[in-house]
C-alpha cells in the first residue's frame, strides 16, 4: 500500500517521498554504516527512497578554551588553553570527511557538510 499524505482527497493515495538523513558523527566509512546496505524504496526495497548523508563540524571542538589545574602539592595553579581536536586529529578528520565524500560520489551520492 502506498503512503498517504495527510490532507489527500478521500480514496486517493498520494505517494510521499521518504527521505532518510544519515548524520555522520564518528563512523566516517560507508562499510561501517549498515544504513547504506539497506535497499531503498526505489530499488524495490524498504522504507526510504532518498538518502541524505550529512556531516556537521562542531566549532566548539576546534576552539581554544581555558583550563585550570592544580599542580604539585595543590599550592600552585597552572593555566593553559585546551582544545578537543588538535592539529593532527583535525587533519585526520578533514581527510576522513573528504574520503567519505569521495566514497559517496563513487556510488552516485554526495555528502552535505
Amino acid at each position: 500500500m502506498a503512503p498517504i499524505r495527510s490532507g489527500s482527497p478521500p480514496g486517493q493515495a498520494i505517494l510521499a517521498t521518504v527521505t532518510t538523513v544519515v548524520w555522520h558523527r564518528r563512523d566516517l566509512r560507508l562499510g561501517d554504516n549498515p544504513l547504506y546496505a539497506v535497499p531503498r524504496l526505489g530499488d524495490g526495497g524498504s522504507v526510504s527512497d532518498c538518502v541524505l548523508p550529512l556531516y556537521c563540524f562542531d566549532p566548539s571542538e576546534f576552539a581554544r578554551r581555558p583550563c585550570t589545574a592544580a599542580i604539585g602539592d595543590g599550592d600552585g595553579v597552572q593555566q593553559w588553553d585546551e582544545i578537543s581536536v588538535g592539529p593532527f586529529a583535525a587533519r585526520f578528520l578533514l581527510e576522513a570527511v573528504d574520503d567519505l565524500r569521495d566514497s559517496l560520489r563513487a556510488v552516485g551520492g554526495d555528502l552535505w557538510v
Side-chain angles (χ1 to χ4, degrees):
M1 173 136 185
I4 300 175
R5 188 182 323 166
S6 65
S8 43
Q12 288 187 348
I14 298 175
L15 286 177
T17 301
V18 178
T19 301
T20 300
V21 175
V22 180
W23 182 7
H24 291 274
R25 298 182 62 135
R26 297 283 181 215
D27 293 331
L28 298 178
R29 294 181 298 193
L30 291 184
D32 291 341
N33 198 322
L35 288 173
Y36 292 112
V38 175
R40 296 189 310 257
L41 182 64
D43 299 333
S46 72
V47 181
S48 189
D49 57 346
C50 181
V51 176
L52 178 66
L54 174 70
Y55 183 82
C56 297
F57 284 97
D58 182 359
S60 68
E61 290 185 353
F62 298 92
R64 292 194 172 275
R65 56 182 175 260
C67 183
T68 305
I71 58 171
D73 58 5
D75 291 336
V77 173
Q78 183 174 356
Q79 295 183 353
W80 66 90
D81 288 339
E82 178 185 58
I83 53 175
S84 297
V85 178
F88 298 111
R91 182 182 182 102
F92 178 80
L93 179 59
L94 290 171
E95 290 173 357
V97 170
D98 280 342
D99 288 345
L100 176 60
R101 175 175 270 160
D102 291 343
S103 297
L104 287 165
R105 286 179 176 169
V107 295
D110 206 345
L111 179 66
W112 288 69
V113 179

